[in-house]
């Protein structure tokens, strides 16, 4: 009996000990009840944000910077930036210090990109754009008049430089250039003449694009774009019209035409030719006749700057006389022009025998 009671007591003590061990084990497991879930969640977070956040130490950033300097010829990508909790965890605080490595790297990359771009800037190009085309019907003929704008790429021009030409004008230019530049013109296409359907929208649109390509191709060849045939195609008609309007006293209309001829020559890069000096003379005369003395004085000054290196020119005396007169009118300094006039008087014929600027403008042949 005593032995049975002792056995039951031992059995009860053993059972309580097991429960205490299970309780102690459970309490130890419940001390950090979310540890296993946190590990799983951390792995999932790393997987979901892979490629979005970049966790690198300062040494790794320095290594990456050295590699970028060695591979400067490679394309620049987006710099690594630490943001949010990653930046706070790395530096131990929130603020600009967490972003300083990425910011400095961004600055260096922008500076490198700027140094590369400075050496690889494309030269300025001249673009030819047909902006409109209209069908014109005269008593004896019917034709399409194309309006072409000359646009400098990468620049904003306040006023457009425009011409209006018909198919026969382009055909004449093509024929003259092929006679003089046969080899260079061999690979340049020109739209053929058609016997029918010349005035349909499809034909006009195709010819407009063809004329743009034709002029662009011509301008890409240095010998052609500097030739009188090519240059006069753009501004000779305007010069003749402006001269005719000036002779008839229509100064306001002439001024607009002279101004367009000025812009055309400026776009084409021929601002030191005799035609350009004649254009400045036309502008000065029209401004003076319209009592716009300040603008007329500016045109004379620009012409005299172009004539600075030339000892003699048919327009030098007339421009000097006009500049002295206009400078006195607007209250500008005229001593330099007076000194140059004195030198001309001592070296050549009397100034009273020289024509005025307006007389030179009217008598100048424009063929």
């Amino acid at each position: 009996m005593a032995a049975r009671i002792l056995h039951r007591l031992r059995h009860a003590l053993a059972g309580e000990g097991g429960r205490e061990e299970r309780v102690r084990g459970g309490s130890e497991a419940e001390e950090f009840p979310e540890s296993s879930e946190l590990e799983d969640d951390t792995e999932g977070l790393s997987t979901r944000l892979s490629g979005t956040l970049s966790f690198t130490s300062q040494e790794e950033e320095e290594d990456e910077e050295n590699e970028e300097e060695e591979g400067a010829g490679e394309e620049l990508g987006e710099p690594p930036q630490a943001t949010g909790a990653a930046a706070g965890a790395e530096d131990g605080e929130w603020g600009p210090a967490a972003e300083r490595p990425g910011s400095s790297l961004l600055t260096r990359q922008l500076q490198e990109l700027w140094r590369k771009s400075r050496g690889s800037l494309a030269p300025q190009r001249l673009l030819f754009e047909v902006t409109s085309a209209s069908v014109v019907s005269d008593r004896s003929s019917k034709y399409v008049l194309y309006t072409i704008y000359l646009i400098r790429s990468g620049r904003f021009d306040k006023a457009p430089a425009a011409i209006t030409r018909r198919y026969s004008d382009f055909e004449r230019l093509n024929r003259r250039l092929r006679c003089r530049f046969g080899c260079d013109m061999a690979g340049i296409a020109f739209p053929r003449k058609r016997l029918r359907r010349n005035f349909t929208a499809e034909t006009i649109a195709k010819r407009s694009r063809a004329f743009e390509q034709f002029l662009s191709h011509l301008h890409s060849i240095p010998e052609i774009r500097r030739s009188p045939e090519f240059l006069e195609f753009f501004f000779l008609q305007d010069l003749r019209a402006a001269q005719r309007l000036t002779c008839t006293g229509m100064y306001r209309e002439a001024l607009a035409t002279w101004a367009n001829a000025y812009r055309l020559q400026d776009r084409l890069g021929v601002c030191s030719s005799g035609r350009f000096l004649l254009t400045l003379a036309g502008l000065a005369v029209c401004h003076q006749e319209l009592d716009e003395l300040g603008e007329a004085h500016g045109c004379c000054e620009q012409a005299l700057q172009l004539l600075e290196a030339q000892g003699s020119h048919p327009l030098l005396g007339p421009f000097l006389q006009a500049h002295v007169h206009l400078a006195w009118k607007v209250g500008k300094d005229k001593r330099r022009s007076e000194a140059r006039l004195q030198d001309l008087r001592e070296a050549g014929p009397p100034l009273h025998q020289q024509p005025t600027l307006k007389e030179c403008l009217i008598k100048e042949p424009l063929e």
Side-chain angles (χ1 to χ4, degrees), residues 238-254:
D238 277 10
L239 293 180
R240 289 172 176 169
Q243 186 186 50
R244 185 167 55 253
L245 291 169
T246 306
C247 292
T248 57
M250 302 176 68
Y251 298 112
R252 183 63 64 185
E253 294 80 1

Side-chain angles (χ1 to χ4, degrees), residues 15-256:
E16 290 177 1
R19 283 196 298 271
E20 290 177 359
E21 289 179 0
R22 286 195 297 271
V23 170
R24 285 197 301 270
S27 62
E28 291 176 0
E30 291 176 359
E31 188 175 351
F32 298 100
E34 298 178 356
S35 59
S36 60
E37 297 179 4
L38 182 61
E39 292 176 359
D40 295 339
D41 194 44
T42 304
E43 293 175 359
L45 182 66
S46 301
T47 303
R48 289 194 300 272
L49 299 182
S50 177
T52 303
L53 296 179
S54 177
F55 300 90
T56 56
S57 63
Q58 183 68 26
E59 295 178 355
E60 290 174 348
E61 287 182 357
E62 293 176 357
D63 293 340
E64 290 175 0
E65 291 168 10
N66 295 333
E67 291 175 0
E68 288 178 2
E69 292 177 358
E70 294 174 358
E74 298 177 359
E75 184 180 359
L76 294 174
E78 184 177 353
Q81 296 180 356
T83 59
E90 185 176 351
D91 290 333
E93 62 179 359
W94 305 96
E99 298 175 0
R100 193 173 300 127
S103 301
S104 60
L105 179 59
L106 175 61
T107 303
R108 283 191 292 272
Q109 288 185 324
L110 289 176
Q111 291 174 350
E112 182 67 23
L113 181 61
W114 167 245
R115 284 193 295 269
K116 290 182 180 180
S117 63
R118 290 181 62 185
S120 61
L121 290 177
Q124 178 179 297
R125 294 192 305 118
L126 187 63
L127 307 177
F128 304 91
E129 181 179 348
V130 177
T131 59
S132 65
S134 57
V135 179
V136 180
S137 297
D138 290 339
R139 294 181 179 178
S140 58
S141 63
K142 183 179 179 181
Y143 56 91
V144 180
L145 200 60
Y146 300 89
T147 301
I148 303 101
Y149 275 36
L150 279 68
I151 304 170
R152 288 179 289 197
S153 62
R155 292 188 57 179
F156 174 75
D157 297 312
K158 295 182 179 179
I163 60 174
T164 53
R165 299 291 183 269
R166 52 189 293 185
Y167 180 89
S168 59
D169 297 323
F170 286 98
E171 188 179 35
R172 188 181 304 110
L173 173 65
N174 179 58
R175 187 170 58 250
R176 293 180 65 188
L177 291 177
R178 290 188 186 278
C179 290
R180 183 177 175 185
F181 305 98
C183 295
D184 293 325
M185 293 292 294
I188 300 179
F190 186 79
R192 294 179 297 176
K193 201 166 189 176
R194 303 182 62 174
L195 299 177
R196 295 181 301 173
R197 300 178 61 82
N198 285 307
F199 305 104
T200 63
E202 181 182 2
T203 300
I204 293 174
K206 288 182 177 180
R207 280 188 174 176
S208 298
R209 302 290 82 77
F211 288 147
E212 290 176 352
Q213 296 173 4
F214 176 69
L215 293 176
S216 298
H217 202 161
L218 294 178
H219 189 262
S220 67
I221 303 175
E223 292 78 10
I224 293 180
R225 71 167 173 260
R226 290 193 293 261
S227 66
E229 293 85 355
F230 179 77
L231 295 173
E232 292 175 356
F233 168 80
F234 290 96
F235 55 79
L236 185 58
Q237 288 188 20
D238 277 10
L239 293 180
R240 289 172 176 169
Q243 186 186 50
R244 185 167 55 253
L245 291 169
T246 306
C247 292
T248 57
M250 302 176 68
Y251 298 112
R252 183 63 64 185
E253 294 80 1
L255 181 61

